[in-house]
Amino acid sequence: MSELVEFTKAGGIAVVTINNPPVNALSPGVPEGIAEAIEQINDDATVKAAVLIGAGRTFVSGADIKEFDKIRSGEASGTMSFPDLLTQIENCKKPVVMAIHGNALGGGLELAMAGHYRVAATNAQVGQPEVKLGIIPGAHGTQRLPRLAGVAKALAMCVEGKPILALEALKFGIVDRLIEGDLLSGAISFAREIAGRPIPKTRDRTEKLGTPEESATIFAAALETARKKQRGMLAPLAAIDAVEAATKLPFDEGCQLERKLFMECLLSDQSKALIHVFFGEREVAKIPDVPKDTPTIAVNRAAVVGAGTMGGGIAMVFANAGIPVLLKEADQAALDRGMANIQKNYAVSVARGRFTQQFVDERLKLIQPAISYDGFANVDMVIEAVFEGMALKKQIFSELDPVCKPDAILASNTSTLNIDEIAAATSRPEFVIGTHFFSPANVMRLLEIVRGKQTSKQVIATSMQLSKKLGKIGVLVGNCRGFVGNRMFHPYVRESVFLVEEGASVEAVDNALYDFGMAMGPLAVGDLAGLDVGWRIRKEYRHLEKPGIRQAFAGDRLCEMGRFGQKTGAGWYKYDEQRRTTPDPEVEQLVRRWSAEEKISQRNISADEIVDRCVYALVNEGARILEEGFASRAVDIDIIYINGYGFPAYRGGPMWYADTVGLKRVYDRIRQFQEQHGEIWEPAPLLKYLAEEGKTFAEFTRGQGAIAEQPENSANSLFRARVLGRKYL
Ligand code: T1G
């Protein structure tokens, strides 16, 4: 028997244990091992029933995603098809009880449903999360789940991909019994109970399938919701078709249709992109020069300085993770406003059913308001979240330094400022780090963690680990202006304004990028964030701009008119009291007049050009960030853009998207833009190199991952040696 699957007997009950750590994925060898066990169960007259269980922390969390490339190229290394195994299990002559703990996800749930009974530990979860990988269940899941759980529930699970808890699974008939205490012994007793009874097969059950007519409205509604909530994604639509087939076709034909749709999805660019994102979200946590066993500091108590929108949101993040947090403001009135905002935000969450009142009451107790530094001596980490100004930040850090424990981490929630300069205001620069949360902090998943020149590895490891505990995706970035996200956002927004100045309407620009898949168009984002924010930053840094370079002016002129966006009722768009958006013909007239004054010739601009200009601006700046060593790998940039800037996950992030288009094509287009628009479009040397070599960002940066204290020493010194060294020097 395969060493990944163990076979033992307990009385007349066979116990089959899958042991493929860490998550018992169905890697080559696992289906083969189970098949052998089933044969043995059939052949052994002393076996009355069987239990199939997972070793370690979980049942089976699905197909081995690393194998998908091989399936795509027809070189899968397993010797048996997983769907065939499921048929074999269902046809087993003795009843098979699936014993679920941890997760039964994807192929894991499909495996469980092919068994004759399912029992589960009370904290187990089951789900068909395939859509999140751009695919659909590929081994009868869309056909067996509606038979067990009913059409509506199966549809929701296959289309949204969210797992459900054991109790809910029991309610919907996906599992037959919950087991308190030891799962294996509970499952064995259950198997003894049912041994000798007629063996139920999921495929034969039709009582929950209803008629196609009865289900028609459910499918129509699912289609409408998926088109809205999973805009641009193919897999949810395929999942709907596959579940619908269960209501219309015999089981085997339904399975064939499912297989066809599964393969179509697997071969799509979307699934390749989403799988890149799945592994990327895990890869960003790995920092080669900060090994896994680097000691960390326990963060049991925290403090936040500044109770504005960001500070309040960050305090909620800590409270939601169960970490007590002091929230300090300069005066009582500001503190009261901050606490009132937090209460309001929590009330919204309760109203929307996200949290219970009890959960919120407990979290609120963890947030302790403060107007002095009393109590700061006991905290393990402070996050400063005051107004974005260097002088103020330095003052706060110089105040924190003497009152905090010597090994307390002092973090700044800056979005642009130099973390080394902030660190220099303390006597402990190795304990200073940047933690750039995204607004609203209690909702957005991204956390840019900014490594200063002297930040210690212990502090980096602690911050990365903490991000996970806080429910965030931490990505380590280097200390440059705007770090990774905002540094790239600047040329992206610049291009969107240029396009308007060259003749595109505000809506045309936003619609093109929205249709590309961005959560919002860049101009609408400006209105939401406040146009004055960028205006102020541009004024502050104007002296650093090269003279003679084209500058976008339309946004700044709107600000000069007091049009700051949503908060003033007008920006690129007009807003009513409820902040509902309408296009503003006045803006159109103003921009055309200004452009005429600036002698910018006007033309029709296609949606394709809008997307290329804005997205390639991201890509070119991203390439510079990589070559300068401020991001470790291309995938780090992708994860930042998907989780912090609304870039569509199904396109894999800007760098992956560029790889998909082909870097040669991207480079050629950028060269065209350079000819038309001048030196702001000079291609990044790394992009030029990869385009000429026929390589991708992903393969170039795979396996890298250190942002060194000095970018010159970073992993991308590889680039310097390989590219600049060889080709340019
Ligand atoms: N295949 C390969 N590797 C996997 C894996 C999988 N299915 N799931 C996890 N890993 C790796 C992961 O990359 C990481 O590796 C380590 O395991 C621990 O994971 C036939 C076609 C199960 C909830 O979509 O959601 O079945 O970084 O850090 O937080 O129709 O992993 O340590 O090297 O995430 O405890 C459907 C995906 C597949 C489940 C555990 N299944 N996995 O979370 O640990 S498609 C999924 C998860 C399918 C069928 C179809 C989570 C988890 P490394 P981790 P965790």
Side-chain angles (χ1 to χ4, degrees):
M1 180 144 317
S2 148
E3 59 195 28
L4 301 170
V5 180
E6 288 159 26
F7 182 93
T8 52
K9 280 196 283 184
I13 308 297
V15 176
V16 182
T17 308
I18 300 173
N19 190 4
N20 182 26
V23 293
N24 290 328
L26 297 160
S27 315
V30 174
E32 289 80 357
I34 300 172
E36 251 182 77
I38 297 294
E39 270 172 39
Q40 224 165 312
I41 292 161
N42 274 330
D43 294 346
D44 186 338
T46 66
V47 171
K48 303 291 173 224
V51 169
L52 193 146
I53 194 166
R57 60 174 157 134
T58 188
F59 186 69
V60 171
S61 53
D64 185 339
I65 303 168
K66 292 195 191 83
E67 291 288 307
F68 285 179
D69 269 343
K70 292 185 202 146
I71 302 178
R72 286 192 190 104
S73 60
E75 293 162 14
S77 34
T79 53
M80 100 168 283
S81 111
F82 181 57
D84 288 350
L85 169 69
L86 300 189
T87 306
Q88 188 189 345
I89 295 172
E90 201 165 50
N91 290 336
C92 182
K93 289 183 266 174
K94 324 280 171 72
V96 180
V97 177
M98 301 288 178
I100 304 167
H101 73 299
N103 295 298
L105 296 178
L109 179 55
E110 290 174 309
L111 175 67
M113 292 190 297
H116 307 108
Y117 297 94
R118 285 148 296 279
V119 297
T122 48
N123 61 358
Q125 294 197 91
V126 304
Q128 298 285 176
E130 287 89 341
V131 282
K132 294 188 180 156
L133 302 173
I135 53 176
I136 65 166
H140 314 167
T142 60
Q143 307 303 300
R144 282 204 179 88
L145 193 53
R147 284 171 161 80
L148 289 179
V151 174
K153 189 66 186 170
L155 196 58
M157 288 176 69
C158 293
V159 174
E160 291 160 27
K162 272 194 228 112
I164 59 171
L165 282 167
L167 188 60
E168 201 178 343
L170 177 73
K171 196 175 118 201
F172 280 94
I174 301 169
V175 301
D176 302 296
R177 186 178 293 174
L178 299 190
I179 306 261
E180 310 258 357
D182 184 61
L183 178 64
L184 181 59
S185 46
I188 290 174
S189 315
F190 183 91
R192 291 217 167 93
E193 234 176 275
I194 52 90
R197 290 196 204 159
I199 301 178
K201 292 184 184 178
T202 308
R203 66 157 65 212
D204 296 335
R205 296 183 47 180
T206 52
E207 72 273 14
K208 288 192 178 175
L209 286 179
T211 64
E213 294 72 37
E214 282 163 0
S215 306
T217 49
I218 302 179
F219 289 113
L223 207 55
E224 202 183 313
T225 311
R227 288 208 173 110
K228 224 181 283 161
K229 291 206 167 153
Q230 292 158 295
R231 186 167 51 92
M233 286 184 65
L234 303 172
L237 307 180
I240 294 172
D241 286 349
V243 176
E244 192 168 9
T247 68
K248 291 187 169 162
L249 300 176
F251 183 81
D252 288 324
E253 285 176 38
C255 291
Q256 277 166 21
L257 183 86
E258 177 198 73
R259 193 72 194 165
K260 182 172 156 277
L261 292 168
F262 166 78
M263 281 312 294
E264 271 173 33
C265 289
L266 189 70
L267 294 173
S268 69
D269 281 345
Q270 292 199 356
S271 90
K272 290 174 201 161
L274 286 162
I275 287 166
H276 159 74
V277 174
F278 175 83
F279 286 117
E281 286 188 352
R282 285 150 183 86
E283 194 171 353
V284 293
K286 293 171 191 154
I287 304 157
D289 81 325
V290 182
K292 227 175 161 184
D293 56 0
T294 305
T296 54
I297 298 162
V299 179
N300 297 322
R301 279 165 198 286
V304 174
V305 180
T309 312
M310 286 313 290
I314 296 167
M316 289 170 76
V317 170
F318 276 91
N320 292 346
I323 301 173
V325 58
L326 291 165
L327 179 61
K328 181 190 175 297
E329 251 303 344
D331 61 68
Q332 193 63 47
L335 188 60
D336 292 344
R337 272 198 306 275
M339 287 304 291
N341 267 335
I342 290 176
Q343 273 156 358
K344 202 173 86 197
N345 287 337
Y346 271 133
V348 171
S349 296
V350 173
R352 291 196 182 148
R354 217 178 127 223
F355 294 148
T356 62
Q357 189 59 47
Q358 189 197 346
F359 177 91
V360 164
D361 291 343
E362 281 163 16
R363 303 304 127 176
L364 275 169
K365 273 189 225 139
L366 293 175
I367 304 178
Q368 196 188 326
I371 47 169
S372 74
Y373 288 118
D374 287 353
F376 273 58
N378 298 322
V379 303
D380 307 301
M381 182 171 193
V382 183
I383 315 262
E384 163 278 308
V386 301
F387 178 75
E388 186 81 344
M390 183 54 93
L392 179 60
K393 302 231 178 217
K394 279 163 108 168
Q395 184 200 325
I396 303 273
F397 274 73
S398 67
E399 288 168 6
L400 287 170
D401 194 32
V403 294
C404 292
K405 295 190 286 200
D407 60 349
I409 298 174
L410 306 183
S412 174
N413 176 53
T414 173
S415 54
T416 44
L417 299 174
N418 184 340
I419 197 74
D420 291 331
E421 202 178 329
I422 297 173
T426 73
S427 63
R428 60 173 98 192
E430 64 282 14
F431 283 94
V432 176
I433 196 161
T435 47
H436 178 204
F437 286 83
F438 286 70
S439 186
N442 52 317
V443 177
M444 299 291 284
R445 278 178 89 206
L446 179 64
L447 181 61
E448 268 188 330
I449 296 178
V450 190
R451 179 178 199 164
K453 220 179 246 159
Q454 296 186 61
T455 310
S456 75
K457 291 184 180 177
Q458 189 187 24
V459 169
I460 293 169
T462 304
S463 305
M464 294 298 290
Q465 198 183 57
L466 180 71
S467 64
K468 197 164 182 192
K469 193 163 172 198
L470 298 179
K472 305 286 171 204
I473 295 195
V475 184
L476 190 68
V477 299
N479 180 27
C480 58
R481 180 147 59 96
F483 313 125
V484 170
N486 284 348
R487 175 170 161 184
M488 287 166 65
F489 204 59
H490 174 73
Y492 170 77
V493 172
R494 175 199 73 201
E495 287 304 312
S496 70
V497 180
F498 279 173
L499 286 158
V500 172
E501 293 170 357
E502 289 166 30
S505 69
V506 169
E507 303 89 88
V509 171
D510 275 353
N511 287 344
L513 287 150
Y514 182 80
D515 290 344
F516 172 78
M518 298 298 294
M520 284 173 88
L523 301 165
V525 169
D527 275 2
L528 178 68
L531 296 179
D532 53 321
V533 180
W535 181 44
R536 219 178 297 123
I537 293 171
R538 278 189 294 278
K539 279 197 285 194
E540 197 175 321
Y541 290 109
R542 189 132 294 162
H543 63 284
L544 297 176
E545 305 283 358
K546 252 187 171 174
I549 297 261
R550 179 178 169 191
Q551 304 288 346
F553 55 80
D556 292 355
R557 291 200 190 161
L558 292 176
C559 287
E560 283 158 19
M561 297 170 66
R563 298 182 67 121
F564 291 169
Q566 291 197 11
K567 59 185 163 190
T568 58
W572 292 108
Y573 297 90
K574 273 192 302 200
Y575 300 89
D576 67 10
E577 296 284 292
Q578 277 83 44
R579 298 205 168 186
R580 272 184 306 235
T581 316
T582 39
D584 190 347
E586 196 192 336
V587 171
E588 181 65 20
Q589 284 165 12
L590 283 168
V591 177
R592 295 306 142 232
R593 203 183 73 216
W594 293 334
S595 294
E597 285 163 14
E598 299 287 333
K599 303 201 172 33
I600 297 178
S601 56
Q602 302 290 292
R603 62 199 170 88
N604 280 328
I605 303 177
S606 70
D608 283 351
E609 179 178 343
I610 292 169
V611 169
D612 285 357
R613 288 268 296 274
C614 293
V615 175
Y616 292 170
L618 286 177
V619 173
N620 204 30
E621 195 64 28
R624 278 187 210 292
I625 286 172
L626 276 176
E627 73 197 32
E628 290 166 15
F630 292 108
S632 305
R633 297 151 290 218
V635 67
D636 293 49
I637 297 179
D638 289 334
I639 299 303
I640 286 175
Y641 258 77
I642 290 166
N643 291 289
Y645 294 83
F647 198 94
Y650 64 79
R651 293 196 192 270
M655 310 313 276
W656 180 266
Y657 170 70
D659 282 349
T660 312
V661 172
L663 295 189
K664 172 81 171 64
R665 258 180 76 185
V666 174
Y667 173 73
D668 288 345
R669 192 83 168 117
I670 287 180
R671 286 275 299 116
Q672 263 177 11
F673 292 151
Q674 188 186 16
E675 274 159 29
Q676 291 159 1
H677 305 286
E679 74 177 281
I680 41 172
W681 273 105
E682 188 182 346
L686 177 62
L687 175 63
K688 180 172 191 287
Y689 164 75
L690 295 175
E692 284 170 355
E693 298 280 316
K695 291 204 167 105
T696 61
F697 287 120
E699 66 189 344
F700 182 75
T701 54
R702 188 167 295 140
Q704 293 195 25
I707 298 167
E709 304 87 58
Q710 298 291 328
E712 296 84 59
N713 300 333
S714 78
N716 301 299
S717 56
L718 190 66
F719 167 70
R720 287 165 192 281
R722 270 206 266 171
V723 182
L724 297 177
R726 200 175 74 210
K727 294 211 154 190
Y728 296 85
L729 297 179

